[in-house]
């Protein structure tokens, strides 16, 4: 596959930015980094990289560029502990690893947590399941996140931010959302896959 020198430079910039920040740059930031005079030039390079299957990009969202991973059958990820799909519980560290299909993995660091509770059952995340988590500190509204509350309790919920508050919404019609001040919640990662053992 032929990649131009400039496309390679843009790809290397994206990889470096993602590794440093955990999320992708905006089109404005890419344009500024290369001195491009218009967003159209950025768009052209991003579209070309996507067509060559070197990146993935959701065009209707900002900071939604991901590097495509080379094909591998499985990766071994650490199980870092438990996460509540219900009331928040304290994370408990584990020293196990689990094999994860490569198609679950995106850019950056990943880990696995075991789910306790059924608050996310309508998202097909049940008690005892393992969730694959992409480590990130920012989330978009509607994403399923692993959230740290008040520095000690960890929960898995749908994330919504508005007016300085964060709603952590269960996917279970029998349960209520948690709404807390934005400074009480730290996003630890985004759920990108679910593993179930029978």
């Amino acid at each position: 596959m032929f990649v131009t020198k400039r496309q390679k430079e843009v790809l290397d910039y994206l990889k470096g930015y993602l590794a440093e920040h955990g999320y992708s740059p905006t089109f404005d930031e890419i344009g500024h980094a290369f001195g491009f005079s218009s967003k159209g030039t950025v768009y052209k390079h991003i579209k070309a990289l996507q067509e060559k299957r070197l990146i993935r990009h959701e065009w209707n969202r900002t900071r939604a560029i991901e590097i495509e991973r080379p094909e591998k059958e499985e990766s071994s990820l650490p199980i870092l502990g438990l996460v509540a799909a219900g009331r928040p519980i304290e994370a408990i560290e584990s020293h196990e690893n689990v094999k994860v299909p490569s198609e679950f993995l995106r850019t950056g660091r990943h880990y696995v947590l075991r789910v306790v509770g059924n608050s996310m059952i309508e998202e097909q995340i049940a008690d005892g399941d393992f969730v694959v988590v992409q480590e990130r500190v920012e989330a978009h509204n509607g994403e399923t996140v692993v959230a740290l509350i008040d520095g000690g309790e960890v929960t898995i919920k749908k994330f919504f931010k508005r007016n300085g508050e964060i709603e952590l919404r269960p996917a279970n019609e029998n349960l209520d959302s948690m709404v807390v001040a934005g400074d009480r919640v730290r996003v630890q990662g985004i759920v990108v896959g679910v593993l179930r053992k029978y």
Side-chain angles (χ1 to χ4, degrees):
M1 176 196 317
F2 176 73
V3 180
T4 68
K5 181 173 180 288
R6 180 59 89 190
Q7 288 167 3
K8 175 71 165 58
E9 290 169 350
V10 172
L11 183 62
D12 289 344
Y13 170 76
L14 292 172
K15 288 178 179 177
Y17 193 103
L18 279 157
E20 181 178 350
H21 299 280
Y23 52 85
S24 63
T26 63
F27 275 31
D28 285 335
E29 288 167 336
I30 297 168
H32 179 74
F34 289 93
F36 295 147
S37 57
S38 74
K39 279 189 185 178
T41 306
V42 178
Y43 174 87
K44 181 184 72 174
H45 288 300
I46 296 302
K47 189 168 187 293
L49 290 171
Q50 186 173 35
E51 287 172 351
K52 292 173 182 178
R53 299 182 182 273
L54 295 169
I55 64 170
R56 281 180 288 182
H57 180 248
E58 295 180 48
W59 295 101
N60 59 338
R61 288 167 57 180
T62 60
R63 300 194 185 279
I65 298 170
E66 295 182 353
I67 307 298
E68 287 282 15
R69 297 172 62 88
E71 285 299 318
K72 290 193 297 185
E73 288 189 7
E74 290 183 320
S75 296
S76 181
L77 295 180
I79 300 174
L80 294 191
L82 306 176
V83 63
R87 289 177 44 240
I89 61 171
E90 186 176 348
I92 301 169
E93 190 173 351
S94 168
H95 297 286
E96 300 176 72
N97 278 33
V98 65
K99 295 285 188 185
V100 174
S102 61
E103 61 264 25
F104 283 14
L105 306 182
R106 303 181 183 182
T107 304
R109 182 172 178 263
H110 294 74
Y111 55 88
V112 175
L113 295 170
R114 188 166 67 83
V115 175
V116 178
N118 283 306
S119 75
M120 297 301 292
I121 197 73
E122 290 160 20
E123 288 283 316
Q124 312 305 317
I125 301 173
D127 185 59
D129 285 350
F130 294 87
V131 288
V132 182
V133 181
Q134 177 192 26
E135 191 173 275
R136 266 177 37 198
V137 297
E138 291 192 358
H140 300 288
N141 283 348
E143 288 186 310
T144 300
V145 303
V146 175
L148 181 69
I149 303 169
D150 295 330
E153 298 175 319
V154 181
T155 190
I156 178 173
K157 294 284 186 293
K158 300 282 274 186
F159 176 93
F160 296 91
K161 184 175 184 178
R162 59 178 71 86
N163 301 324
E165 292 185 323
I166 291 175
E167 176 190 358
L168 297 172
R169 185 185 301 172
N172 183 327
E173 64 180 11
N174 299 313
L175 300 175
D176 296 325
S177 292
M178 302 168 58
V179 179
V180 297
D183 61 1
R184 293 180 56 198
V185 176
R186 279 179 38 214
V187 173
Q188 304 288 286
I190 308 299
V191 174
V192 295
V194 181
L195 303 171
R196 182 166 297 160
K197 292 186 176 180
Y198 294 97

